[in-house]
Structures are given as structure tokens and as C-alpha cells.
Amino acid sequence: MIDFIPNVLFVILLVTAVTIFTKNILKIKNNIYLGKSIHRNDDKPERWKNMARIALGQSKMVKRPVAGLLHVVVYVGFLVINIELLEIIVDGVFGTHRIFAPHLGGLYNALIAVFEVFAFLVLVSVIIFWIRRNVIRLNRFWKNEMKGWPKLDADLILYFEIVLMSLFLTMNGADLYIQTNFPTAEHYLQAGSFPVSQYLTPVFKGMALDSVILIERAAWWMHIVGIFIFLNYLYYSKHLHILLAFPNTFFANLKAKGGFANNPTVTAEVKLMMDPESDPYAAPDVSADEPDKFGASDVMDLNRVQLLNAYTCTECGRCTSECPANQTGKLLSPRKIMMDTRDRLTEVGDNISKNKGVFVPDGKQLLNDYITAEELWACTSCNACVETCPIDIDPLSIIMTMRQYLVMEESAAPTDLNNMMGNIENNGAPWPFNQQDRLNWVQDL
Amino acid sequence: MIKVPTLAELTAQGKTPEILFWVGCAGSFDERAKKITKAFVKLLHNTGVSYAVLGAEESCTGDPAKRAGNEFLFQMQAVTNIEVLNGYGVKRIVTACPHCFNTLKNEYPDLGGTYEVIHHTQLLKELLDGGKLTIETGSYKGKKITFHDPCYLGRANNVYEAPRDLIQKLDAELVEMKNCKAKGLCCGAGGAQMFKEPEKGNKDVNIERTEQALEVKPDIIAAGCPFCNTMLTDGIKNKEKEGEIPVMDIAELIANAKDL
């Protein structure tokens, strides 16, 4: 009976980890669904291709070759080592050890060797990432919005990965030592090829079998429990991008970046105004719902893709480093736009869960409490942030939607812009010239 | 004296031009941009393209209103313009302003206005490839020219090569700034910034961009947008180089080379 304790413990941990994770993912999904629906299901083949190229293929990531290459190593390492996770889980549930080995033969040895090489490369890459952040202190990692939790989060992810990879290699090294020096040890079969962890075996020299087994088991358990913790850490972290990058690239805007979305609420109003049949003095239809707000002052006014974008952002800061406003010292940082949107969305989501499914106004909103008008007005709409985002996040669309609220709901445009718009309204040009004079330039041809 | 035909005149004569030249507000009213308009019209005449302008029937596309957040004003402008364009049965439009280009091309279809829209550098490239436009190489031979990518032509619409091909045909040496093409730095005018004071910061965007241009020591800075032209011209003035390094539109470079 006592033999089954580890199996039962493992199953409990596994089920708990997966349950909490699923619950949190559903929370994210519900929060995203607080946004307005948007039609992004057209042209599915092109969407799959976009996802394959950008998320799976990392094509935009490598545009910055150093960070790109290191990221590809960590990413491929993550995918490859997850194959081994399958065996670890089966072993954990059934109390077996390296259950796939007898079935795979030589292939098993090759696989373990590949996992080891990747574990080592991931370890090296992650250490370089840490150095870039903390020793070289690349500018984009030290901007204002990165203070506090975002900085700690970024470092924690790196520490997690360093610990997990080290545990993985320790577990293999101890296993190899047992296989070589105690070939008759119960439970441990002769399997695997260990190109990296073989160099760890001298550490175990002189140790009794029990001690090495203890180290192997401890590393094995800490590794898998570490993975369960990391899985559930995702919800609180920018590291969510490892999952959300896929739907995010799938639902990305595939059209020319210069074409900003048409606002259908406004189109309805314009149509009504232009309709010669409509009665301008008609009493408002009292049965009608409250008309849609123009633009966005809070996260519920944004669309679901904009909210998905916010959860997907991994705060790499490429957008901010390419932003002409940010480069010239303005307050705007596209990364902060995404982080603010996400933080406010989480706050609204928590408010709703606390209040049994209804949002209780908290006297706050995305505009002003998170994103200020000064940030919004600094944008040149140049699309540099959108172009550079490795996973197709679109900070510009949020900026533009919020400007719509400022101008159409609050009439809070800068005076110069009000003059410009007045000119367009009256003369059909942003400057005070008469429309009848538009052809005057031909006079001295 | 060149006679610029309006679409109203041609339609009255029962003629349909192949392409509508959308002049834009800057091209119609801004002193600097009017020179670009004239240079382009000279090239249209020189190549015998059948074209017309709208004249007083043209109105702002609504681009700066939309970027400023006034979707309402934008759509009013768009719907009015679309009524005019569709009334004449316009199929193809060329413009020297990337903002008009982008709006007409990408934002009018949702409101019922679908046209083939091209930037003037694309039309010039097409005329060159079709043998209708010849580019005289003498005056710019060996000159170092750097091209500033307008955001609404480049990143917004992925047009990077047409203007560069034309510069190279001038037999000039095309030198690229450290930020070019998809990584091109904005001039600072987009998103309705042209019509307002910049937010506070430590530098103006056009100065930053001008410095990038000056780094490659060009003889000429080439642009493809009337607003970029203004911003870079201001930048050059700020650096006290206005006598030395002209900021020129590609249409002007070609027209000058042809002595038009």
C-alpha cells in the first residue's frame, strides 16, 4: 500500500496543477470576452499561415538576430523537452521509470541526447538573457513601466528556467551514475545517452547508492513540481505569451497596416444624417438601447482582439524602442499601452468575479487612471510598433480607439486639432483655404 | 502653358480619362507642395497620360480627422468624396500624398468607395517600365541621394521599391539611412501631428530624422510625401543646411532632370 503513496501524490499534484491552470485560462477567456466582438475569422488559410510563420516559425523574432537566435533556442528547447515531459508524467502516474526506453531502443537514446543538448543550450541562452537584462542593462528593459513587478517577473522567469534545466540535468546525471556504477540497482534500467550530464557524474563519486538515488529522486520531483508551479505562474506573468502568441497571430490584422478600422457605430449615425428620408426632428426612439459609446474609455469598449493583444504582450519593448515619440522623450510607450490595458482588464475581471458576475463601478477607467491623454496625443500613427512586434500586437489600434473617445465623447482634442477639424468641416481642407481655390496652382504652370 | 483638365470638363465632352489625379489639400494649397504637384503634372503631360483632376470638387479625404479621433468627420468627408468619385465612375486614382493614398485605398472601400489607388512614384515607375517615361540621367549623376520612407507609403502599404527604383534610374547613388524601409523613422507629422504642437519631450521627431539623414552625408534628401517634405525641410533649416541639402520630391527630381 505504502508503495503507492508517490503515485497518488503525483496524481493529486498533476490534477491540482491542471485544474487551477484551466480555471485561470477560463478567467482570461472570460475577461477577453468582456470586449466587443470583432470579425476576424475570414480567410482562415491565410490566418493559419500567419500563425505558422510568425508564432511557430518565429519569423519576426529573428529580425533582431541576437535576441532572436537566443529566443529560438529557448523556444525549440521548450518544445523538444516537453516531449520528455510526457514520459515523466506517465512514470509519475504509474510509478515506472523511463517507461518509453524499452519500446524505443536506439531512438530513445538519441532523444534523451537531444533533450540534454537543448537543456544545456537553453541554460546558456537564459543566462545570456539575464546578462542582457541585468549586466548590460539594455535600455528597453529599464524603461519606467518596467519598474517593480514587470522587472521581477522577467527575472523570475529566467530563474525558473535556470533551475528547471539544472534539475533536469542533475536528474539525468545521477541516473547515469547509478546505471554505470550500480548496474543491478532496482528500478534503474540501462537507458539513455547523456552527452551533457555525463560531466556531472564526478560529483557523485564515492556516494552510496541510496544517496545518489535520493538526489536523482529529489531532482526528478523538484523538476516536475517546478513545471507545475511554472504552469500556474503563467497566469500572473508576461510569460503567457508562450500560449497566447498562437491565437494572437491567428486573429491578427492581415490587411494593410495603414487602413484603420471603420467605426460602424459612426457609420450608422452618418447614414442617418445623409438619409434624405429621415426626419431630423423625430423624437428619439425611447425603446432603443442606449447608443454605443464612440471609441474607448475603458477595457470593455475595446474589442476582443485588442484585449487578447494585451494578455499576449511579453513586455519585450521592441515597440517602445522603435517608437519615434518615445525615442524623442515623449511620455508615450506602446508597451505601456498594452500593459495598462492588461492590468486594467485583470482589475475589471477580478471586480466581476468578486461581485458575482456583475461589474461594480470602481471609480476608475483605462483612460486617465492608466493611460493619459498626453500619451495618446504623442502618437504619430507611424505603425513602427505594429511592424516590429514579434507576435503581431497592435498598440496603435488601442491608441486610435481611445482618441475617438477623447474627441467624439469628450470633445477633448488639443485646440490646434480642433482648428484643423473646423477647417475640414467648413472648407474641406485642414487649413483655412476656400475649396473653390483648390485649382489655383494651375495658374502659373 | 499647360491646361490641366478637370473631370467635370472631360465628362461634359464625353471623355473618360484613364486616371484621376487626386491632388490633396497639401498639393492644392501648401506653397512647397504645390511645386510637387506642378512637377508631377508636367510629367503627366510629358508622358501623354490621359488624366484629370477634380478641382473644386475635391475635398479633404478625412485622414487627419480620422487620425485625430474624429471618425465622424472622417466618415462625412469620405461619404461626400465617394459620392463624387462614384458619380464620375472613377476607377483608378493616383496621388502624390501617401495619406490620401492610404485613406482612399484602404479606408474608403468599407464606406462604398472601391478604386485602384496608386502613389505617384508607382505610376512613374509604371510609365518608365512601359517606355513612356524616359529619365534623363545627367544632372544627378553620381549625386548621393537618400530616400525617406513615408510611413503611410512604406510600413502602412509596403511600397518601398518604386521610389528607390526611380532614384537609381537617375544614375544617382542611393544611400540608405540607418533606419530605412520597414524600420524607417517617422518624420513626426503623421497621426494629425502636422496640425498640432508636439507633446513635450527632449527633441522633435523631425530633428531626429534629419540627423539620421545627415549622417549619410547626402547631396539631396528625397521624399515622397508633402508632409514629410515639410518636416524634413524644417529639420534642415534647424541644422542650417538649407542652402546645401535640398529636400526634393521624386517627381521634382525627375522633372528637373528632364528640364521640364
Side-chain angles (χ1 to χ4, degrees):
Chain A
M1 193 56 208
I2 201 140
D3 284 355
F4 289 110
I5 287 177
N7 307 34
V8 173
L9 184 64
F10 186 88
V11 172
I12 291 172
L13 286 174
L14 177 67
V15 172
T16 312
V18 173
T19 311
I20 302 174
F21 176 69
T22 313
K23 236 182 88 189
N24 283 337
I25 288 293
L26 284 176
K27 231 192 236 174
I28 288 173
K29 194 204 139 206
N30 288 340
N31 286 354
I32 289 172
Y33 272 72
L34 293 175
K36 293 180 177 173
S37 72
I38 169 176
H39 183 63
R40 284 280 172 84
N41 269 319
D42 55 321
D43 204 357
K44 286 220 170 89
E46 203 44 53
R47 296 195 171 280
W48 285 112
K49 255 191 254 166
N50 204 53
M51 185 171 96
R53 206 171 45 235
I54 296 169
L56 197 68
Q58 309 261 302
S59 60
K60 289 179 86 179
M61 198 62 214
V62 293
K63 294 226 163 121
R64 293 200 185 179
V66 178
L69 204 71
L70 293 168
H71 187 269
V72 168
V73 169
V74 175
Y75 161 72
V76 176
F78 168 78
L79 291 181
V80 166
I81 298 168
N82 269 341
I83 306 175
E84 170 66 353
L85 200 60
L86 197 66
E87 183 180 51
I88 293 177
I89 289 173
V90 176
D91 280 345
V93 173
F94 297 103
T96 49
H97 187 66
R98 299 195 180 272
I99 190 166
F100 295 158
H103 308 285
L104 297 176
L107 177 64
Y108 186 82
N109 291 358
L111 278 174
I112 296 292
V114 170
F115 300 156
E116 286 227 330
V117 170
F118 269 107
F120 178 71
L121 290 175
V122 168
L123 201 55
V124 172
S125 304
V126 167
I127 290 169
I128 300 174
F129 277 149
W130 186 87
I131 292 171
R132 283 162 60 86
R133 253 174 214 279
N134 295 293
V135 181
I136 304 173
R137 290 171 156 259
L138 288 182
N139 193 23
R140 67 186 154 108
F141 299 134
W142 290 85
K143 295 265 175 184
N144 269 336
E145 66 269 21
M146 295 307 286
K147 285 184 183 137
W149 170 246
K151 163 83 175 78
L152 180 64
D153 182 24
D155 285 336
L156 279 177
I157 293 163
L158 299 178
Y159 298 143
F160 253 118
E161 284 172 3
I162 290 171
V163 169
L164 287 177
M165 291 305 109
S166 306
L167 286 169
F168 179 73
L169 291 171
T170 308
M171 153 191 124
N172 276 355
D175 199 321
L176 173 63
Y177 188 79
I178 297 167
Q179 288 182 35
T180 345
N181 295 290
F182 307 98
T184 54
E186 199 191 340
H187 220 63
Y188 290 90
L189 48 144
Q190 301 285 331
S193 163
F194 305 94
V196 178
S197 64
Q198 59 177 320
Y199 297 106
L200 293 177
T201 50
V203 178
F204 309 112
K205 212 166 183 151
M207 284 191 197
L209 174 60
D210 283 355
S211 314
V212 188
I213 289 181
L214 188 69
I215 292 171
E216 194 276 335
R217 284 291 87 194
W220 188 92
W221 276 97
M222 281 158 72
H223 175 251
I224 188 66
V225 170
I227 286 172
F228 290 157
I229 294 172
F230 201 31
L231 181 73
N232 281 294
Y233 175 76
L234 290 187
Y235 174 72
Y236 305 95
S237 166
K238 73 188 190 98
H239 211 50
L240 260 180
H241 79 285
I242 63 171
L243 303 173
L244 297 186
F246 293 88
N248 199 71
T249 45
F250 184 86
F251 293 116
N253 174 30
L254 299 180
K255 296 187 187 141
K257 283 194 272 300
F260 294 0
N262 191 64
N263 184 325
T265 314
V266 173
T267 309
E269 295 278 324
V270 169
K271 277 214 178 104
L272 201 66
M273 273 190 69
M274 305 294 268
D275 181 5
E277 306 284 305
S278 76
D279 174 8
Y281 303 109
D285 183 359
V286 282
S287 65
D289 295 335
E290 199 184 324
D292 270 351
K293 196 194 264 182
F294 295 126
S297 60
D298 212 343
V299 285
M300 302 78 111
D301 309 324
L302 294 171
N303 70 48
R304 290 171 192 170
V305 170
Q306 290 170 323
L307 299 183
L308 172 64
N309 277 185
Y311 272 124
T312 307
C313 175
T314 195
E315 302 168 11
C316 73
R318 291 190 188 194
C319 52
T320 295
S321 73
E322 302 276 343
C323 173
N326 193 277
Q327 282 177 29
T328 53
K330 276 84 174 175
L331 207 54
L332 174 63
S333 162
R335 169 173 56 189
K336 179 178 173 290
I337 300 286
M338 302 319 300
M339 294 167 70
D340 285 344
T341 305
R342 178 199 59 206
D343 292 348
R344 173 61 183 158
L345 181 54
T346 312
E347 187 176 56
V348 168
D350 290 348
N351 179 315
I352 292 173
S353 349
K354 253 186 237 140
N355 297 299
K356 303 188 177 74
V358 209
F359 177 68
V360 175
D362 56 358
K364 282 202 251 175
Q365 56 173 7
L366 183 61
L367 181 66
N368 298 330
D369 295 303
Y370 286 84
I371 300 170
T372 60
E374 182 178 341
E375 292 163 70
L376 298 172
W377 289 120
C379 175
T380 68
S381 76
C382 78
N383 259 309
C385 54
V386 185
E387 174 77 34
T388 199
C389 178
I391 41 181
D392 274 1
I393 289 168
D394 187 348
L396 177 54
S397 81
I398 296 181
I399 296 172
M400 285 298 141
T401 316
M402 293 186 74
R403 274 192 186 182
Q404 289 188 356
Y405 178 85
L406 280 175
V407 172
M408 290 192 287
E409 294 281 353
E410 299 209 312
S411 305
T415 316
D416 291 339
L417 290 188
N418 278 332
N419 292 339
M420 174 272 285
M421 293 186 285
N423 288 328
I424 293 179
E425 241 179 298
N426 298 323
N427 321 312
W431 301 287
F433 293 108
N434 192 326
Q435 189 167 359
Q436 293 310 313
D437 295 338
R438 279 187 96 96
L439 210 49
N440 286 3
W441 56 269
V442 300
Q443 281 160 9
D444 50 341
L445 254 175
Chain B
M1 176 77 188
I2 292 173
K3 172 84 185 82
V4 178
T6 64
L7 201 45
E9 289 161 12
L10 291 190
T11 307
Q13 295 163 21
K15 290 186 204 157
T16 312
E18 280 164 27
I19 197 160
L20 172 75
F21 171 30
W22 184 278
V23 182
C25 301
S28 302
F29 295 122
D30 180 84
E31 286 309 317
R32 177 68 190 86
K34 281 199 277 190
K35 291 183 186 159
I36 302 169
T37 307
K38 286 181 227 172
F40 182 57
V41 158
K42 284 176 188 167
L43 290 171
L44 289 176
H45 275 267
N46 182 263
T47 50
V49 174
S50 134
Y51 79 99
V53 298
L54 280 172
E57 287 187 279
E58 190 185 278
S59 186
C60 174
T61 59
D63 160 85
K66 185 168 175 107
R67 269 75 198 161
N70 196 338
E71 179 78 7
F72 196 82
L73 178 55
F74 159 72
Q75 291 198 16
M76 293 294 283
Q77 287 297 118
V79 169
T80 315
N81 283 323
I82 289 167
E83 215 161 84
V84 173
L85 293 167
N86 289 356
Y88 283 117
V90 170
K91 301 266 179 303
R92 200 166 191 235
I93 303 174
V94 63
T95 175
C97 172
H99 295 265
C100 298
F101 164 72
N102 176 69
T103 304
L104 293 166
K105 184 178 163 56
N106 299 318
E107 290 168 354
Y108 276 28
D110 278 342
L111 296 164
T114 305
Y115 321 100
E116 186 202 342
V117 188
I118 55 172
H119 186 241
H120 71 314
T121 57
Q122 291 176 301
L123 181 67
L124 292 173
K125 176 72 170 54
E126 184 185 300
L127 293 168
L128 179 78
D129 291 343
K132 286 188 180 160
L133 173 70
T134 51
I135 292 183
E136 264 63 44
T137 57
S139 38
Y140 295 106
K141 199 174 163 72
K143 286 260 167 73
K144 273 167 91 170
I145 301 182
T146 190
F147 178 66
H148 164 78
D149 288 279
C151 302
Y152 277 88
L153 185 64
R155 269 189 299 274
N157 288 290
N158 295 314
V159 178
Y160 299 112
E161 295 312 321
R164 287 181 168 77
D165 289 349
L166 292 167
I167 291 172
Q168 273 162 337
K169 277 285 179 306
L170 286 164
D171 221 5
E173 185 194 342
L174 175 66
V175 286
E176 296 288 4
M177 292 181 240
K178 74 172 177 202
N179 283 333
C180 65
K181 299 185 182 172
K183 285 178 83 72
L185 182 73
C186 178
C187 71
Q193 297 291 344
M194 180 74 194
F195 307 100
K196 64 185 266 296
E197 287 304 310
E199 306 304 307
K200 64 174 190 298
N202 50 34
K203 203 184 217 177
D204 283 343
V205 178
N206 67 324
I207 304 296
E208 176 73 19
R209 186 52 165 169
T210 305
E211 285 168 2
Q212 287 192 355
L214 293 178
E215 267 170 32
V216 297
K217 304 204 179 331
D219 296 306
I220 296 162
I221 298 172
C225 168
F227 298 105
C228 298
N229 196 310
T230 303
M231 296 307 267
L232 294 171
T233 304
D234 287 351
I236 287 291
K237 276 184 198 148
N238 179 278
K239 299 282 168 191
E240 295 176 350
K241 298 261 184 208
E242 61 260 52
E244 286 164 61
I245 306 172
V247 181
M248 307 268 283
D249 190 88
I250 302 221
E252 292 178 300
L253 292 173
I254 297 171
N256 284 356
K258 291 175 84 70
D259 224 0
L260 290 174

